[in-house]
Amino acid sequence: MTEDERSPILCHMANNDQVLDCTFAALADPTRRAIVARLCQGEAPVGELARPFSIGLPTLLKHIRVLEDGGLVTTRKAGRVRTCTLVPDVLRCADAWLRAHIDVWESRLDRLEAHLHQLKKKDLR
Amino acid sequence: MTEDERSPILCHMANNDQVLDCTFAALADPTRRAIVARLCQGEAPVGELARPFSIGLPTLLKHIRVLEDGGLVTTRKAGRVRTCTLVPDVLRCADAWLRAHIDVWESRLDRLEAHLHQLKKKDLR
């Protein structure tokens, strides 16, 4: 049995901006999101990942390569079977970016609301 | 004063997949993420958004158009000033997708951990 373990390129990326560029670009496609969704339930061989899609295996392999290059997925080959595994840290990194910025927006709205409330109270006196 | 209010294309999108395609593609660029980060603090005229970047105004306007087409930003023109405003619902939609899938992964890990714990307990008996 030969093993061809591919490490994610995450560790080679110069900074967080590059990680986010690759992660968001990888997620900007419904087939790739469906692959990520399936891998959240556990690792899967490429043959199983191909089943729900009406696309050829070469196209599917291209999508898997984009996910691998984005650091979202690792693959290993045992004999003739290539198995894909999710790297959840990259999803968490993208989620942290979104959450942090949504929080900034929501804090601003809360402050505006509090300010309006104060103005209203002064107006009623 | 003339007003040229542009509505987000979100409402014209056929389904959630198209929203996610556009949102993730729009976020796959550091300049566009920096614009979104700035707009989380409140609306801003294009001139102010241009200041931190060493890019020409036409390039910046192209980035703003991608954000507009992705439904992340709306713009309105008053006289010669075009002002950009964030549409936070699109960010929330992308965050909800990521969070839901990270949750699936984490629940699976929790179940595996509980299963291992049970096996260990049986082994100690």
Side-chain angles (χ1 to χ4, degrees):
Chain A
M1 187 193 282
T2 57
E3 276 238 336
D4 164 22
E5 194 77 52
R6 289 189 195 166
S7 64
I9 63 157
L10 183 64
C11 44
H12 304 300
M13 285 173 165
N15 60 45
N16 197 38
D17 250 350
Q18 278 176 285
V19 177
L20 291 171
D21 285 1
C22 292
T23 310
F24 286 130
L27 292 174
D29 178 277
T31 305
R32 291 197 291 269
R33 284 196 303 277
I35 296 171
V36 167
R38 166 59 191 85
L39 295 178
C40 282
Q41 297 168 20
E43 61 175 33
V46 167
E48 190 193 316
L49 289 176
R51 240 167 271 157
F53 306 111
S54 55
I55 54 171
L57 193 63
T59 310
L60 184 86
L61 288 171
K62 270 188 203 163
H63 282 307
I64 290 174
R65 176 51 62 106
V66 174
L67 290 169
E68 250 187 309
D69 290 348
L72 284 94
V73 160
T74 55
T75 73
R76 64 174 194 281
K77 205 172 177 183
R80 295 183 67 178
V81 178
R82 182 171 290 284
T83 301
C84 302
T85 308
L86 187 78
V87 182
D89 284 349
V90 182
L91 290 185
R92 287 193 190 107
C93 176
D95 183 53
W97 188 90
L98 279 167
R99 201 57 256 170
H101 289 88
I102 292 168
D103 283 351
V104 169
W105 173 269
E106 286 174 353
S107 304
R108 186 180 147 263
L109 282 198
D110 289 346
R111 284 197 305 277
L112 273 175
E113 198 182 12
H115 182 64
L116 283 176
H117 186 70
Q118 283 298 322
L119 286 179
K120 217 171 165 185
K121 262 173 77 179
K122 273 186 195 166
D123 216 35
L124 287 174
R125 270 177 210 155
Chain B
M1 187 192 283
T2 57
E3 276 237 338
D4 165 24
E5 195 81 49
R6 290 190 195 168
S7 66
I9 63 157
L10 183 63
C11 44
H12 304 301
M13 286 173 166
N15 60 45
N16 197 38
D17 250 350
Q18 278 177 283
V19 177
L20 290 172
D21 285 1
C22 292
T23 309
F24 286 130
L27 291 174
D29 178 278
T31 304
R32 291 198 291 269
R33 286 197 301 279
I35 294 170
V36 168
R38 166 61 191 85
L39 294 178
C40 282
Q41 297 167 18
E43 61 175 33
V46 168
E48 190 193 316
L49 289 176
R51 240 167 268 155
F53 306 110
S54 54
I55 54 172
L57 193 63
T59 309
L60 183 87
L61 287 172
K62 271 189 203 165
H63 283 307
I64 290 173
R65 176 51 62 106
V66 174
L67 290 168
E68 250 188 310
D69 289 347
L72 285 92
V73 160
T74 54
T75 72
R76 64 173 193 281
K77 202 168 179 187
R80 297 184 64 178
V81 178
R82 182 170 290 283
T83 301
C84 300
T85 309
L86 187 77
V87 183
D89 283 349
V90 183
L91 290 185
R92 286 191 192 109
C93 176
D95 184 51
W97 188 91
L98 279 168
R99 202 56 257 169
H101 289 88
I102 293 168
D103 284 350
V104 170
W105 173 269
E106 286 172 354
S107 305
R108 187 182 145 262
L109 282 197
D110 289 346
R111 283 197 307 276
L112 274 175
E113 200 182 12
H115 183 62
L116 284 176
H117 186 69
Q118 283 299 321
L119 286 179
K120 217 172 164 183
K121 263 173 76 179
K122 275 187 195 166
D123 214 36
L124 287 174
R125 270 179 210 154

